[in-house]
Amino acid sequence: MDHQILLEIVRRDIHDGRLINLIRGLLKAGYMEDWRRYDTLSGTPQGGIISPLLANIYLNELDRFVEGTLIPTYTRGKKRKENPEYSRYIYQIAAAKKREDFEEVKRLQRERRGVISVAPVDPAYRRLRYVRYADDFLLGFVGPRAEADEIRQRLGEFLEQTLKLTLSPEKTLITHASEGKAKFLGYEVSVVRCGNLISDAGVEDGKRTVKGRKTNGRIALWMPRKVVCKYRDRYSKNGKITHQANLISESDYTIIQRYQAVLKGVYNYYCMAVNVSRRMKYIRRVLEKSLTMTLACKFRCSVNRIYGMYKAEVQGLSALQVVKTRPGKDSLIATFGGFSIERIPGGMGVVDFCEQLAWHRPASKRSEVVQRLMAGKCELCGKKGVPVQVHHIRKLADIDKPGRRPKEDWERRMSAMKRKTLVVCEGCHAAIHGGRYDGPTL
């Protein structure tokens, strides 16, 4: 990313010189390599917490260009024309029904399934769709190959002239959606053409549905084969599944937990794929074999004995499970497997971060610094309704260092509260820093 262009984009909406200078300093800070400092000529700091935000601000110009220029240019027509061949089958089926020749009706209906209902080539109809995640983007286009090449050329010219970015011709591919698969965010994307899968007639959302080819022309997400190969190779040696030597020193609870995390993580990401069940079953077999071999190597026994020790049934499904009992507390349970590997078309759903972070909420309002500040009460002298300030220390261990002077009253209070902050009034705060505090003890 070009620094000057990025700052101009930020400056266009944010009129704060101090913030602009702060971002400029971040971009020009340089980097260290082999104990030598090098200037940063372009790009944002790798691993910087603000780098993804700056990248999105930069590539938002690409979004504006596509949505404001390309999509209106390459979108026209309300509806595709009917396919004359498909219409001919409709008339023939109607005539056969009128003659009560039902065998002919069935034959014509089977043949019609192999024909598209709308014209595959319609000069008056175009559609362009666009989606971007970070620096990966995907364009879906209904139209001829020549116009697709033109769209790619215009994208490359805009990126080079406006944003000074280079569009990689090796990675920016044009793929026929029905004959090939486009790669996007680890998935393979294609258009399904299937005339044999017929939907059942019924009622859906209060409306009567008609029998038809329910998958024909639909977008499908696929789990790539290379994902399976990746995990097969990771847990193999010389072409055979083997144990993980780096986990042998861990407890059986931790080992099972680690393998379950891998299995669950892969499934959660690819659960929207059409072929997730078939691919994930193979990955699960690979992980399960490596897991049992790791446990067998740890306890110096056979794999069959490991199955005898850890095999369990969870929700009607076979799994490997270990229970770690704790006196006076709930037992810890680690399970490998025990969940259904089925396709979830809508994904894992939207994450409610408020619910996910419920553990972070304090059990008492008193433990939250903001709530203590809003109370407007000095935690030393007890005055209420006065402006309060927060007194900080680096760490509680500094209060109890051996060989230092006896603790002051305010230090004992912080130590007893296990707090590195103390909400106090202005008078008590000044007395603490001046070494004059002699107020009430804890």
Side-chain angles (χ1 to χ4, degrees):
M1 290 189 292
D2 185 88
H3 291 168
Q4 190 61 32
I5 295 175
L6 176 59
L7 291 173
E8 287 176 4
I9 295 171
V10 175
R11 197 181 291 115
R12 185 178 61 201
D13 296 321
I14 299 176
H15 309 290
D16 187 342
R18 293 174 299 176
L19 179 60
I20 301 298
N21 289 333
L22 184 63
I23 295 175
R24 183 186 291 110
L26 170 75
L27 297 174
K28 301 292 186 181
Y31 63 96
M32 296 290 292
E33 186 175 347
D34 295 331
W35 299 101
R36 290 187 60 188
R37 182 189 177 280
Y38 296 88
D39 291 330
T40 309
L41 303 178
S42 63
T44 57
Q46 186 175 0
I49 57 174
I50 200 175
S51 295
L53 176 61
L54 294 176
N56 267 326
I57 291 172
Y58 199 79
L59 291 175
N60 183 59
E61 301 302 304
L62 173 63
D63 301 343
R64 287 185 173 186
F65 172 71
V66 174
E67 293 171 356
T69 304
L70 291 183
I71 290 180
T73 303
Y74 294 94
T75 300
R76 60 178 179 268
K78 292 183 178 180
K79 190 178 179 181
R80 283 189 183 184
K81 292 180 181 179
E82 290 185 2
N83 189 352
E85 186 179 354
Y86 190 85
S87 301
R88 190 161 47 249
Y89 273 107
I90 292 177
Y91 297 139
Q92 292 175 358
I93 290 171
K97 285 181 179 179
K98 197 171 183 179
R99 298 192 310 267
E100 296 185 357
D101 187 354
F102 298 109
E103 291 296 328
E104 180 70 6
V105 170
K106 290 181 180 179
R107 184 187 69 79
L108 290 171
Q109 285 178 342
R110 283 195 298 268
E111 291 181 4
R112 186 180 61 175
R113 291 173 190 167
V115 180
I116 302 174
S117 61
V118 293
V121 179
D122 185 358
Y125 183 87
R126 296 285 184 272
R127 283 294 182 274
L128 181 63
R129 296 286 186 267
Y130 167 76
V131 62
R132 178 180 67 83
Y133 181 86
D135 60 343
D136 284 344
F137 62 90
L138 183 69
L139 288 148
F141 181 58
V142 177
R145 171 66 187 249
E147 292 186 21
D149 288 325
E150 186 181 321
I151 291 171
R152 179 169 64 176
Q153 182 180 354
R154 292 186 64 176
L155 273 172
E157 290 174 356
F158 172 81
L159 289 171
E160 186 175 359
Q161 295 172 7
T162 307
L163 299 180
K164 295 186 179 179
L165 294 175
T166 304
L167 193 66
S168 172
E170 296 83 12
K171 295 181 179 180
T172 312
L173 305 176
I174 297 176
T175 307
H176 194 287
S178 298
E179 300 173 1
K181 295 176 181 177
K183 296 176 175 60
F184 184 62
L185 300 180
Y187 275 90
E188 291 179 341
V189 187
S190 71
V191 173
V192 178
R193 295 291 178 195
C194 179
N196 299 323
L197 189 58
I198 307 300
S199 62
D200 297 327
V203 177
E204 184 178 342
D205 295 334
K207 297 180 181 179
R208 184 177 178 274
T209 59
V210 182
K211 277 190 174 184
R213 298 168 291 182
K214 67 178 183 178
T215 59
N216 202 31
R218 296 292 183 91
I219 300 295
L221 300 176
W222 303 86
M223 184 177 178
R225 181 178 178 81
K226 68 176 184 180
V227 178
V228 178
C229 298
K230 169 187 169 183
Y231 285 95
R232 181 197 62 197
D233 296 341
R234 180 181 295 180
Y235 292 92
S236 299
K237 188 176 181 180
N238 298 327
K240 293 184 178 181
I241 308 299
T242 185
H243 66 281
Q244 294 291 294
N246 60 315
L247 293 178
I248 292 177
S249 59
E250 302 285 352
S251 65
D252 53 357
Y253 175 86
T254 303
I255 294 173
I256 292 178
Q257 206 175 36
R258 293 275 183 88
Y259 277 90
Q260 176 75 343
V262 175
L263 180 67
K264 196 79 173 177
V266 178
Y267 170 71
N268 287 351
Y269 189 77
Y270 286 104
C271 63
M272 295 183 289
V274 175
N275 58 341
V276 64
S277 297
R278 182 159 48 90
R279 295 277 194 243
M280 285 302 304
K281 284 177 183 176
Y282 185 85
I283 291 178
R284 176 180 169 163
R285 286 199 296 270
V286 170
L287 292 173
E288 184 174 330
K289 188 172 182 180
S290 177
L291 168 61
T292 52
M293 293 179 73
T294 303
L295 291 172
C297 189
K298 175 180 176 62
F299 295 111
R300 300 180 184 276
C301 62
S302 65
V303 171
N304 288 335
R305 187 178 174 188
I306 293 298
Y307 275 109
M309 293 167 59
Y310 295 101
K311 195 168 184 179
E313 187 173 317
V314 179
Q315 299 178 355
L317 300 170
S318 62
L320 297 174
Q321 192 175 78
V322 59
V323 179
K324 190 175 181 180
T325 58
R326 299 184 297 173
K329 297 182 180 179
D330 294 337
S331 300
L332 295 175
I333 301 175
T335 306
F336 177 81
F339 64 92
S340 178
I341 304 177
E342 300 293 336
R343 178 176 177 244
I344 306 176
M348 301 306 294
V350 179
V351 177
D352 187 351
F353 287 100
C354 293
E355 292 296 327
Q356 293 290 323
L357 297 177
W359 59 270
H360 187 64
R361 295 177 189 147
S364 170
K365 289 184 178 181
R366 184 184 175 191
S367 63
E368 181 61 52
V369 176
V370 175
Q371 297 290 339
R372 290 158 60 199
L373 278 169
M374 292 175 63
K377 178 182 177 182
C378 178
E379 294 178 349
L380 285 178
C381 66
K383 288 182 182 178
K384 294 182 179 180
V386 296
V388 290
Q389 303 170 356
V390 180
H391 177 67
H392 297 264
I393 61 170
R394 286 191 309 155
K395 52 185 178 178
L396 291 174
D398 290 344
I399 295 177
D400 296 320
K401 277 186 177 178
R404 60 161 293 172
R405 59 175 174 76
K407 287 190 291 186
E408 300 284 349
D409 292 336
W410 62 269
E411 291 176 320
R412 288 202 297 271
R413 177 165 292 226
M414 293 182 80
S415 180
M417 292 170 65
K418 291 183 171 54
R419 296 270 181 273
K420 293 195 289 183
T421 59
L422 200 62
V423 177
V424 293
C425 63
E426 188 176 353
C428 291
H429 203 187
I432 288 172
H433 282 285
R436 302 186 304 273
Y437 178 76
D438 58 354
T441 58
L442 184 63

